[in-house]
């Protein structure tokens, strides 16, 4: 948004299983769902990964024999950032719908959960980032609203074929203490502001702005090698660690 490119961190969330339609071509490949984030220091709090059920994604070959699932639009951008196998090329090896990705078992970096699941979020934009969002419900109001919807609404789970065991055991993780907001700022604000669901757009925007600003300047990390550091100072350190471990990549758009 605004002028100039936005710098994101792409979090590489490894597929521990694949949709039926991808098994023939990609069974022996390293496949990731990739999620663009502005908050790499919050990755300790991941509980799941979100896709747009009706979203159209593709599988693209990247450098180092890795395969990314993301929007074609983001694959195109990646092809100009030396991320795809061939510079400026981004052939779509296979199309895959968001609905097909729901329920996949995934390995996300830094979180305490051994694996997490791909779940539906109806407010994802396919025109931002990769169209895939990693979920940190402790600190992102949108993520908590969507996870709470799935945990509490049987009808919603049935609509998207979501099993309870993919969402209910995954509690938000306290990762950042924000003075006045406690250690799960998004959960607290969603409650306080009486946000009803992931569709409560205006209130969610307000909540997001509040947590984001206050968290960045006043938040203190609760875990990891940056424990006790200010969020502002921890961010570049955690980001570098993720990139050095090949668990994340730099991405602009
Ligand atoms: B953030 P901006 Cl903990 N559609 O990551 C909807 N939302 C998307 C998206 C898409 N296609 N792609 C990325 N996002 C989300 C973490 C996080 C984020 C926390 C707190 C706030 C926050 C965990 N989710 O974002 O419009 C991603 O969620 C608050 C803005 O480019 C990404 O960072 O500013 C953020 O929105 C990018 O939004």
């Amino acid at each position: 948004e605004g002028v100039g490119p936005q710098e994101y961190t792409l979090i590489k969330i490894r597929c521990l299983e694949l949709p039926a339609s991808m098994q023939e071509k990609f069974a022996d490949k390293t496949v990731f769902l990739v999620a663009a984030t502005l908050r790499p220091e919050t990755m300790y709090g991941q509980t799941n990964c979100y896709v747009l059920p009706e979203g159209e994604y593709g599988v693209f070959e990247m450098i180092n024999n890795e395969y990314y699932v993301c929007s074609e639009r983001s694959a195109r951008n990646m092809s100009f950032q030396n991320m795809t196998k061939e510079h400026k090329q981004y052939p779509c090896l296979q199309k895959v719908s968001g609905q097909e990705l729901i329920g996949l078992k995934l390995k996300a970096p830094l979180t305490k959960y051994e694996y997490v699941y791909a779940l539906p979020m109806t407010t994802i934009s396919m025109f931002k980032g990769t169209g895939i969002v990693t979920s940190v419900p402790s600190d992102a109001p949108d993520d908590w609203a969507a996870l709470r919807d799935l945990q509490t609404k049987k009808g919603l789970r049935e609509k998207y074929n979501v099993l309870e065991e993919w969402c209910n055991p995954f509690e938000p993780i306290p990762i950042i203490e924000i003075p006045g907001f406690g250690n799960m700022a998004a959960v607290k604000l969603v409650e306080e502001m009486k946000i009803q669901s992931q569709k409560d757009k205006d209130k969610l925007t307000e909540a997001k702005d509040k947590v984001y600003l206050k968290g960045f300047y006043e938040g203190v990390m609760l875990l990891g090698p940056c424990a006790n550091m200010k969020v502002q100072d921890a961010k570049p350190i955690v980001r570098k660690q993720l990139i050095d471990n090949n668990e994340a990549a730099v991405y602009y758009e």
Side-chain angles (χ1 to χ4, degrees):
E1 329 232 328
V3 277
Q6 173 80 264
E7 186 186 60
Y8 292 95
T9 305
L10 285 191
I11 305 299
K12 296 162 65 174
I13 305 173
R14 199 157 68 80
C15 294
L16 300 177
E17 55 192 31
L18 295 173
S21 68
M22 283 178 63
Q23 278 167 16
E24 204 175 314
K25 279 195 209 163
F26 301 100
D28 57 344
K29 303 284 196 277
T30 307
V31 181
F32 299 94
L33 302 191
V34 286
T37 183
L38 297 171
R39 303 286 310 273
E41 76 284 2
T42 66
M43 295 302 112
Y44 298 98
Q46 290 173 98
T47 58
N48 61 281
C49 175
Y50 287 119
V51 297
L52 183 69
E54 60 274 27
E56 188 182 284
Y57 300 90
V59 188
F60 302 90
E61 186 171 1
M62 314 304 286
I63 54 173
N64 300 325
N65 293 310
E66 293 181 348
Y67 294 80
Y68 283 8
V69 177
C70 57
S71 65
E72 178 151 31
R73 185 192 145 280
S74 62
R76 179 177 186 278
N77 288 333
M78 291 176 206
S79 79
F80 292 101
Q81 298 175 41
N82 299 313
M83 297 172 77
T84 51
K85 187 182 181 215
E86 270 188 87
H87 187 54
K88 293 185 191 174
Q89 305 294 312
Y90 54 102
C92 180
L93 303 179
Q94 185 178 324
K95 285 182 176 169
V96 60
S97 71
Q99 184 61 59
E100 289 179 90
L101 299 170
I102 291 171
L104 291 185
K105 205 181 210 183
L106 310 166
K107 177 68 192 156
L110 297 184
T111 178
K112 70 171 185 183
Y113 292 116
E114 209 172 300
Y115 46 80
V116 298
Y117 290 91
L119 299 175
M121 180 186 246
T122 56
T123 57
I124 286 181
S125 162
M126 293 305 287
F127 304 100
K128 187 188 339 183
T130 57
I132 294 175
V133 177
T134 191
S135 173
V136 182
S138 56
D139 290 81
D142 288 304
D143 298 352
W144 172 237
L147 181 59
R148 190 188 57 176
D149 283 350
L150 289 164
Q151 288 181 340
T152 57
K153 295 171 182 168
K154 189 162 178 262
L156 185 70
R157 286 197 302 272
E158 283 171 358
K159 179 170 180 189
Y160 296 111
N161 295 316
V162 171
L163 299 184
E164 252 185 288
E165 67 233 49
W166 298 343
C167 43
N168 287 31
F170 297 88
E171 294 296 326
I173 305 167
I175 54 166
I176 291 169
E177 175 80 33
I178 307 178
F181 286 69
N183 62 15
M184 290 210 265
V187 174
K188 187 182 162 82
L189 261 186
V190 165
E191 199 121 307
E192 273 182 11
M193 294 175 67
K194 299 194 163 43
I195 290 169
Q196 298 299 323
S197 83
Q198 63 192 296
K199 293 182 192 157
D200 217 338
K201 194 163 173 267
D202 296 340
K203 279 188 182 174
L204 278 168
T205 304
E206 198 185 320
K208 202 155 50 179
D209 291 346
K210 273 192 195 163
V211 199
Y212 193 34
L213 265 182
K214 216 169 146 67
F216 187 72
Y217 291 109
E218 298 176 47
V220 175
M221 300 293 295
L222 294 175
L223 37 74
C226 293
N228 301 315
M229 284 173 67
K230 285 275 190 64
V231 165
Q232 209 178 344
D233 302 322
K235 180 174 166 163
I237 298 172
V238 177
R239 183 172 198 248
K240 183 174 186 302
Q241 180 202 325
L242 282 164
I243 293 167
D244 290 349
N245 284 341
N246 198 25
E247 293 171 322
V250 179
Y251 170 77
Y252 297 88
E253 68 175 36

